Amino acid sequence: MNDFLRIFMRQFKGRMNQNILERITYLRDELRQHNYNYYVLDSATISDYDFDNKLKELQGLEAQYPQYFDETSPTQRVGGEVTKSFKTVVHKNRMYSLDNSYSKEDLYDWEKRIQKNLGVENTEYTCELKYDGASINLSYEKGKLVSAVTRGDGFQGDDVTANIKTIKSIPLKLKGELVDSFEIRGEIILPLDGFNKMNEERILEGEDPYRNPRNTASGSLKLQDSAEVAKRPLDCLLYHVVGDKIPFETHFKTLERARNIGFKVPKAVKECKDIDAVFEFINYWDVERHKLPYETDGIVIKVNNLHQQDELGFTAKAPRWAIAYKFKAAQESTLLHEITYQVGRTGAITPVANLEPVKLAGTIVKRASLHNADQIEKLDIRVNDTVFVEKGGEIIPKVVGVDLAKRTSDSQPTLYATNCPDCETLLVRKEGDAKHYCPNEFGCPTQITGRIQHFISRKAMNVDGLGAETIELLFKEGLIFNFADLYDLRIEQITPLERMAEKSAQNIVAGIELSKQIPFEKVLFAIGIRFVGETVAKKLAKHYKSIDKMMISSFEDLTKVDEIGDRIAQSIVDFSNDLSNIQLIDRLRSYGVQLEMSVESQANQTDKLHGKIFVVSGVFHQMSRNELKKAIEDNGGKVSSSISKKTSYIVAGDNMGPSKRSKADDLEIPIITEEEFIELIR
Ligand code: AMP
Ligand code: ZN
């Protein structure tokens, strides 16, 4: 090759790489902005589909050109890094606690103290909500997130950077400048919506629900597998910048800048000229906080001027320049007219207090939860009592006590319901259960419709055109008594019903017909065996491959299935021994509902990896991480999130974490590539 050609080739290659780097940078910037719009500003400007496509393109390019790796790339948010034990880190600046106040008087006293201390007669404040979660300290250097550490004991905390990176509202790279090096503090929270969704799923899986968003958020930070953290709808609300040479006079201005360079600083922050403006803020949020998408337990009032903050300094425990004001849990007293009872799909009974309507935290409350028989007995709640109703973080208000002074002499202790409010069957209560149950599984209307509603729901048979109300209507009209009856429905039976047109009747029947193609594992979930949630149904389907094999297996046999414990096994045995269930399943079979694994999905399943445990790490080219995991499971292997002596192989893609690699080396566990893995199952 002559010199000319060589130089030309070098330049050409250089230019091509230049173009690729430009494209990568462009995609990263664009995706960052979309993340910011969606997670910080709450307003998306791109569809999920387009976002995913761009992310995939970027992932592809990054995999192909590893020399352009960037730890702040939006692709780094999917998690996958596993931390066995979190490193303890000493805080550069101590994380203090806050002093509390509970009344206006407390706040006046605080103001007097600081004004005396500063020798001034006027002080300005910034008011913020007190977010209820787990505190976190984020460090940024030259515009990039470098570490995230929990509060710990205030002097030192745990390094949870890998987990924190998966929270989309936390910028990995800033959109603008503040100072070269600073810390920013905030609260990791779990919004109520996301929390409730997580719990719904847990309940479906037969597990106990999480107790409250705060503990769940803080527990999430210590999960070992960051991919698990990525699945949780965590958020981070920021409230304090710590650093030398902050170029602003006030706390408020600093927060505004923080918001502008990418941080989620809630809009409910107010600059207050004096303490009266602070009280306005408190009064407003005392009511409005119940409409927020997350929990708060008070307000934090901070001296606005940063020089004054410096001058005031800290006590042994807390800053002198800030104070928390705790809300009282909203409470009112009102008359209890009647106790009624509700029955759910599983037959569980919930007692409900029917109240004289009362205004509580901005809404009119007519009904409140009474939990169960023990609670009523413990508080000695009686009809015609004046009761205290409280609205805490939860959506449903509850009765927390009785105003005994107002009890009338003819008052009678409450006798808990003995019969089902719906079908009047005698209630039962098993040992260890807090709740009473209606045992009339097949005759109790609410239970019957509840089960059919579950059967058609999205994650189960996903029947389009059919909703909860229509199920009730069809049941009321005597057209269905169980989910098998759905398949006998004819258009001419439905059309004459109230609010039904020919078209909707056609849609219903077509939707039901279509559900015959729903795969076996979903059918197994849909039939609603107690404690058999989505995941368990999948495990069972995979193991038994047909409902018949599952129904004839013994308790011992069932407990040998991966992750099936005594409680689930017993529930399946009970279900399988019930004659009416056997008949129902036979009917489903006669209609052509999938009661075994299809030939195609069985064809992809082998036992090649039986007994082998895999850890998957890094970014892959030919399959997504989830496809890879599925391939492992389909071939009889197990996927684990952390490396241990039991690990058989590590399938490593690009950017496998260095700590993982050294752990694998220590334990002498073979590391294989994606291609080698594919070879393994071929
Ligand atoms: P406490 O845990 O009751 O001592 O309250 C102090 C904690 O409140 C701090 O460590 C923060 O994690 C948290 N906090 C929540 N919201 C704010 C806020 N807006 N400003 C300061 N701290 C807050
Ligand atoms: Zn009943």
CSV table of all heavy atoms in Angstrom, one decimal, residues 343-344 347 349 419-427 437-441 443-447, ligand 2:
chain,number,residue,atom,x,y,z
A,343,VAL,N,-67.4,-8.8,52.3
A,343,VAL,CA,-66.7,-10.1,52.0
A,343,VAL,C,-65.9,-9.9,50.7
A,343,VAL,O,-66.4,-9.3,49.7
A,343,VAL,CB,-67.7,-11.2,51.9
A,343,VAL,CG1,-68.8,-11.0,50.9
A,343,VAL,CG2,-67.0,-12.5,51.6
A,344,GLY,N,-64.7,-10.4,50.6
A,344,GLY,CA,-63.9,-10.3,49.4
A,344,GLY,C,-63.9,-11.6,48.6
A,344,GLY,O,-64.5,-12.6,48.9
A,347,GLY,N,-63.2,-14.7,50.4
A,347,GLY,CA,-64.1,-14.9,51.5
A,347,GLY,C,-63.7,-14.2,52.8
A,347,GLY,O,-64.5,-14.3,53.8
A,349,ILE,N,-63.5,-11.5,55.6
A,349,ILE,CA,-64.5,-10.5,56.0
A,349,ILE,C,-63.8,-9.3,56.6
A,349,ILE,O,-62.9,-9.4,57.4
A,349,ILE,CB,-65.4,-11.1,57.1
A,349,ILE,CG1,-66.1,-12.4,56.7
A,349,ILE,CG2,-66.5,-10.1,57.6
A,349,ILE,CD1,-67.1,-12.2,55.6
A,419,ASN,N,-72.5,-14.4,60.6
A,419,ASN,CA,-72.9,-14.9,59.3
A,419,ASN,C,-72.4,-14.0,58.2
A,419,ASN,O,-72.2,-12.8,58.4
A,419,ASN,CB,-74.4,-15.1,59.2
A,419,ASN,CG,-74.9,-16.1,60.2
A,419,ASN,OD1,-74.9,-15.8,61.4
A,419,ASN,ND2,-75.3,-17.2,59.8
A,420,CYS,N,-72.2,-14.6,57.0
A,420,CYS,CA,-71.7,-13.8,55.9
A,420,CYS,C,-72.8,-12.7,55.5
A,420,CYS,O,-73.9,-13.0,55.4
A,420,CYS,CB,-71.5,-14.7,54.7
A,420,CYS,SG,-71.0,-13.8,53.2
A,421,PRO,N,-72.3,-11.5,55.3
A,421,PRO,CA,-73.2,-10.4,54.9
A,421,PRO,C,-73.9,-10.6,53.6
A,421,PRO,O,-74.9,-10.0,53.3
A,421,PRO,CB,-72.3,-9.2,54.8
A,421,PRO,CG,-70.9,-9.7,54.6
A,421,PRO,CD,-70.9,-11.0,55.3
A,422,ASP,N,-73.3,-11.5,52.8
A,422,ASP,CA,-73.8,-11.7,51.5
A,422,ASP,C,-74.7,-13.0,51.4
A,422,ASP,O,-75.8,-12.9,50.9
A,422,ASP,CB,-72.6,-11.8,50.5
A,422,ASP,CG,-73.0,-11.6,49.1
A,422,ASP,OD1,-74.2,-11.2,48.8
A,422,ASP,OD2,-72.2,-11.7,48.2
A,423,CYS,N,-74.2,-14.1,51.9
A,423,CYS,CA,-74.9,-15.3,51.7
A,423,CYS,C,-75.4,-15.9,53.0
A,423,CYS,O,-76.0,-17.0,53.0
A,423,CYS,CB,-74.0,-16.4,50.9
A,423,CYS,SG,-72.7,-16.9,52.0
A,424,GLU,N,-75.1,-15.3,54.1
A,424,GLU,CA,-75.6,-15.7,55.4
A,424,GLU,C,-75.0,-17.0,55.9
A,424,GLU,O,-75.5,-17.5,57.0
A,424,GLU,CB,-77.1,-15.7,55.4
A,424,GLU,CG,-77.6,-14.3,55.2
A,424,GLU,CD,-79.2,-14.2,55.3
A,424,GLU,OE1,-79.8,-15.2,55.6
A,424,GLU,OE2,-79.7,-13.1,55.1
A,425,THR,N,-74.0,-17.5,55.3
A,425,THR,CA,-73.4,-18.7,55.8
A,425,THR,C,-72.6,-18.4,57.1
A,425,THR,O,-72.1,-17.3,57.3
A,425,THR,CB,-72.4,-19.2,54.8
A,425,THR,OG1,-73.1,-19.4,53.5
A,425,THR,CG2,-71.7,-20.5,55.2
A,426,LEU,N,-72.6,-19.3,58.0
A,426,LEU,CA,-71.9,-19.2,59.3
A,426,LEU,C,-70.4,-18.9,59.0
A,426,LEU,O,-69.8,-19.7,58.3
A,426,LEU,CB,-72.1,-20.4,60.1
A,426,LEU,CG,-72.0,-20.3,61.6
A,426,LEU,CD1,-73.1,-19.3,62.2
A,426,LEU,CD2,-72.2,-21.7,62.3
A,427,LEU,N,-69.9,-17.9,59.6
A,427,LEU,CA,-68.5,-17.5,59.3
A,427,LEU,C,-67.6,-18.5,60.1
A,427,LEU,O,-67.9,-19.0,61.2
A,427,LEU,CB,-68.2,-16.1,59.7
A,427,LEU,CG,-68.9,-15.0,59.0
A,427,LEU,CD1,-68.5,-13.6,59.5
A,427,LEU,CD2,-68.7,-15.1,57.5
A,437,TYR,N,-63.7,-15.8,57.9
A,437,TYR,CA,-64.0,-16.1,56.5
A,437,TYR,C,-65.4,-16.7,56.3
A,437,TYR,O,-65.9,-17.4,57.1
A,437,TYR,CB,-63.0,-17.2,56.0
A,437,TYR,CG,-61.6,-16.6,55.7
A,437,TYR,CD1,-60.7,-16.4,56.7
A,437,TYR,CD2,-61.3,-16.2,54.4
A,437,TYR,CE1,-59.4,-15.8,56.4
A,437,TYR,CE2,-60.1,-15.6,54.1
A,437,TYR,CZ,-59.1,-15.4,55.1
A,437,TYR,OH,-57.9,-14.8,54.8
A,438,CYS,N,-65.9,-16.4,55.1
A,438,CYS,CA,-67.1,-17.1,54.7
A,438,CYS,C,-66.7,-18.4,53.9
A,438,CYS,O,-66.1,-18.3,52.9
A,438,CYS,CB,-68.0,-16.2,53.7
A,438,CYS,SG,-69.2,-17.1,52.9
A,439,PRO,N,-67.1,-19.5,54.4
A,439,PRO,CA,-66.6,-20.8,53.8
A,439,PRO,C,-67.4,-21.2,52.6
A,439,PRO,O,-67.1,-22.2,52.0
A,439,PRO,CB,-66.8,-21.8,55.0
A,439,PRO,CG,-67.9,-21.3,55.8
A,439,PRO,CD,-67.9,-19.8,55.6
A,440,ASN,N,-68.5,-20.4,52.3
A,440,ASN,CA,-69.4,-20.8,51.2
A,440,ASN,C,-68.8,-20.4,49.8
A,440,ASN,O,-69.4,-19.7,49.1
A,440,ASN,CB,-70.7,-20.2,51.4
A,440,ASN,CG,-71.8,-20.6,50.4
A,440,ASN,OD1,-71.6,-21.6,49.7
A,440,ASN,ND2,-72.8,-19.8,50.3
A,441,GLU,N,-67.6,-21.0,49.5
A,441,GLU,CA,-66.9,-20.7,48.3
A,441,GLU,C,-67.7,-20.7,47.1
A,441,GLU,O,-67.6,-19.8,46.2
A,441,GLU,CB,-65.8,-21.7,48.2
A,441,GLU,CG,-64.4,-21.2,48.0
A,441,GLU,CD,-63.5,-22.3,47.8
A,441,GLU,OE1,-63.4,-23.2,48.8
A,441,GLU,OE2,-62.9,-22.4,46.8
A,443,GLY,N,-71.1,-20.7,46.8
A,443,GLY,CA,-72.5,-20.2,46.8
A,443,GLY,C,-72.6,-18.7,47.2
A,443,GLY,O,-73.6,-18.1,47.1
A,444,CYS,N,-71.4,-18.2,47.6
A,444,CYS,CA,-71.4,-16.8,48.0
A,444,CYS,C,-71.3,-15.8,46.8
A,444,CYS,O,-70.2,-15.9,46.2
A,444,CYS,CB,-70.3,-16.6,49.1
A,444,CYS,SG,-70.2,-15.0,49.8
A,445,PRO,N,-72.3,-15.0,46.5
A,445,PRO,CA,-72.2,-14.3,45.3
A,445,PRO,C,-71.0,-13.4,45.1
A,445,PRO,O,-70.4,-13.4,44.0
A,445,PRO,CB,-73.5,-13.3,45.4
A,445,PRO,CG,-74.4,-14.1,46.3
A,445,PRO,CD,-73.5,-14.9,47.2
A,446,THR,N,-70.5,-12.7,46.2
A,446,THR,CA,-69.3,-11.9,46.0
A,446,THR,C,-68.1,-12.7,45.7
A,446,THR,O,-67.3,-12.3,44.9
A,446,THR,CB,-69.1,-11.1,47.3
A,446,THR,OG1,-70.3,-10.6,47.8
A,446,THR,CG2,-68.2,-9.9,47.1
A,447,GLN,N,-68.0,-13.8,46.3
A,447,GLN,CA,-66.9,-14.7,46.1
A,447,GLN,C,-66.9,-15.2,44.6
A,447,GLN,O,-65.9,-15.3,44.0
A,447,GLN,CB,-66.8,-15.9,47.1
A,447,GLN,CG,-66.5,-15.4,48.5
A,447,GLN,CD,-66.3,-16.6,49.4
A,447,GLN,OE1,-65.4,-17.4,49.2
A,447,GLN,NE2,-67.1,-16.7,50.4
B,2,ZN,ZN,-70.7,-15.6,51.9
